[in-house]
Amino acid sequence: TIGIGGVPSSKFTLPGIPQEDSSLALTQTKERIWRSWISAYEQDRLQHASYPNLYDIGFDKPETHVLMVGDTARYALYCDTTFTGTLELRGLKHGRYDIQSYPDGRTLGRVEGPSAMLPVNFKGFMIIRAVPTGK
């Protein structure tokens, strides 16, 4: 949801309350994950970002969405299986960009726009951001 600029929601029940669907119980692990994504949502407010529509969902693999906030681009990548390959980071201006994992901010490398290519390997989804280095 956050990767495409949507507003996140949740459907949890308090632990210890009997229920038919135990997958809805809020565990400490689920709460930690939920808090990290809600914190990212509250900090970045990506639902107000621009969506330049740079990838074709039917033809570009992996499925890729871009959200632009100023000169920073966030790329949400989706794949039903494991994807290993090179991603063209479309929409970047001339200059250098640090590539960070999202939402934890780990540095994954540096690329040069506007024709940046990034090797990626992920299963299910991956969200990264390209932050201008100013150098």
Side-chain angles (χ1 to χ4, degrees), residues 89 92 95-99 109-113 116-118 130:
L89 299 177
L92 299 179
R96 292 185 179 163
Y97 292 81
D98 284 334
I99 305 302
R110 182 172 280 178
V111 298
E112 184 100 16
M117 303 299 279
L118 181 72

Side-chain angles (χ1 to χ4, degrees), residues 3 5 19 33 41 45 48 72 74 80 87 94 124:
Q19 55 198 318
I33 293 167
Y41 165 77
R45 297 293 189 188
H48 298 297
T72 299
R74 283 169 185 80
D80 290 338
L87 177 69
H94 286 277

Side-chain angles (χ1 to χ4, degrees), residues 71-92:
D71 289 337
T72 299
R74 283 169 185 80
Y75 297 85
L77 316 171
Y78 301 97
C79 183
D80 290 338
T81 60
T82 299
F83 179 85
T84 301
T86 303
L87 177 69
E88 178 185 7
L89 299 177
R90 299 175 186 166
L92 299 179

Side-chain angles (χ1 to χ4, degrees), residues 10-111:
S10 65
K11 184 178 180 181
F12 293 120
T13 58
L14 295 175
I17 296 176
Q19 55 198 318
E20 288 184 35
D21 186 353
S22 63
S23 70
L24 300 177
L26 182 61
T27 64
Q28 288 180 343
T29 300
K30 287 179 183 178
E31 184 173 359
R32 187 175 54 254
I33 293 167
W34 179 82
R35 285 189 187 281
S36 76
W37 285 107
I38 292 300
S39 175
Y41 165 77
E42 290 174 344
Q43 177 183 352
D44 293 342
R45 297 293 189 188
L46 295 177
Q47 74 276 19
H48 298 297
S50 65
Y51 186 97
N53 202 21
L54 301 174
Y55 294 87
D56 185 300
I57 294 174
F59 295 101
D60 290 318
K61 303 295 181 205
E63 178 182 330
T64 305
H65 302 268
V66 182
L67 296 172
M68 301 296 293
V69 178
D71 289 337
T72 299
R74 283 169 185 80
Y75 297 85
L77 316 171
Y78 301 97
C79 183
D80 290 338
T81 60
T82 299
F83 179 85
T84 301
T86 303
L87 177 69
E88 178 185 7
L89 299 177
R90 299 175 186 166
L92 299 179
K93 297 178 181 176
H94 286 277
R96 292 185 179 163
Y97 292 81
D98 284 334
I99 305 302
Q100 302 169 344
S101 62
Y102 190 80
D104 63 9
R106 281 183 302 114
T107 299
L108 303 176
R110 182 172 280 178
V111 298

